[in-house]
Amino acid sequence: MKEGYVIRDQALPHFITSTVVDWVDIFTRQIYRDIVIESLEYCIQNKGMILYGYVIMSNHIHLIVQSENGKLSDLIRDFKKFIAKNILEKIQNSPESRREWILERFKLVTQSHSRNKEYQFWQYGNHAEEIYTNEFMWSKLDYIHLNPVRAGLVAKASEYVYSSASNYVCDSGLLKIEKADNLIVNVLDNKSFIRYNQY
């Protein structure tokens, strides 16, 4: 089932999609989006994560990441595990109007397998796609950053706080990223840069 999305070359950058089970819109709450940001920041500072782009949508996240240590699968596993653990703790111990419904969704999924004991937060798999050219990198960055525009959340990609679009357009954002024009894969072509700055 996940054949074709396996991370084969652990050292190369990959486009990663992680989705909450049953597409539960957990990230509509800022408190949970901030946990993702904290985890990304920790991984960048302490675990060798190179982050080229990201967006946090209501029920999934997209990343373009690389591992300095050539251990991308381990990095993504630890990143997702931290988020799941901390969000589940927040749901159970903080005011949450949808607590019972959310926990019921996360519990029901575990009944079809034996991998998770009590709750499952993420769908299995990362839909990982290897970034093999500069053109592919920029097509994925465009896709990531235009998600909030397509969803009607903002008029311009750079206005969405929980993405790296403003890093590319305004050179500022919630996280320090590695811009794609510094990518090892290839040299940035001017066409992509000009198109992207229209955002």
Side-chain angles (χ1 to χ4, degrees):
M1 179 171 131
K2 64 180 184 177
E3 189 64 35
Y5 295 114
V6 175
I7 299 175
R8 290 187 177 84
D9 190 328
Q10 296 286 324
L12 285 179
H14 281 71
F15 170 72
I16 304 284
T17 300
S18 297
T19 306
V20 179
V21 295
D22 280 356
W23 294 86
V24 173
D25 59 344
I26 199 80
F27 300 124
T28 53
R29 304 266 202 266
Q30 180 179 343
I31 190 170
Y32 306 135
R33 291 193 304 267
D34 287 343
I35 289 172
V36 177
I37 295 297
E38 288 167 24
S39 183
L40 285 168
E41 189 165 29
Y42 179 85
C43 288
I44 291 166
Q45 292 176 359
N46 301 290
K47 295 181 85 60
M49 176 185 278
I50 303 167
L51 182 65
Y52 296 102
Y54 72 94
V55 68
I56 305 171
M57 298 301 290
S58 66
N59 50 29
H60 65 285
I61 61 175
H62 294 298
L63 309 171
I64 298 179
V65 291
Q66 189 173 10
S67 170
E68 275 180 7
N69 312 318
K71 297 180 179 179
L72 188 56
S73 292
D74 292 349
L75 178 60
I76 297 300
R77 180 200 62 217
D78 293 349
F79 165 73
K80 289 172 66 176
K81 188 175 178 182
F82 176 88
I83 292 169
K85 177 179 177 289
N86 282 276
I87 288 180
L88 283 166
E89 281 178 10
K90 286 277 189 212
I91 291 169
Q92 293 169 342
N93 302 314
S94 302
E96 171 55 70
S97 60
R98 303 181 302 162
R99 178 185 295 125
E100 288 179 22
W101 178 79
I102 291 171
L103 292 178
E104 182 185 346
R105 303 307 318 146
F106 292 168
K107 190 173 192 64
L108 276 173
V109 181
T110 65
Q111 295 173 1
S112 61
H113 56 77
S114 58
R115 287 171 81 176
N116 284 307
K117 299 174 185 77
E118 192 171 4
Y119 298 114
Q120 180 176 330
F121 183 82
W122 298 108
Q123 289 182 15
Y124 288 128
N126 297 308
H127 199 86
E129 297 179 60
E130 190 175 289
I131 303 292
Y132 51 90
T133 65
N134 185 64
E135 186 180 355
F136 189 56
M137 165 67 89
W138 279 92
S139 74
K140 290 303 181 183
L141 280 169
D142 288 348
Y143 176 80
I144 285 173
H145 293 151
L146 289 173
N147 254 231
V149 177
R150 286 189 296 268
L153 301 174
V154 290
K156 297 171 82 175
S158 57
E159 295 170 352
Y160 190 68
V161 175
Y162 288 89
S163 95
S164 53
S166 64
N167 292 85
Y168 283 90
V169 177
C170 310
D171 208 24
S172 66
L174 294 178
L175 293 166
K176 187 176 187 319
I177 64 154
E178 192 69 34
K179 288 192 179 177
D181 51 354
N182 297 331
L183 182 65
I184 299 163
V185 172
N186 221 329
V187 178
L188 174 66
D189 64 286
N190 289 331
K191 186 173 142 190
S192 293
F193 185 74
I194 291 163
R195 184 189 70 236
Y196 197 75
N197 272 320
Q198 293 172 349
Y199 299 164

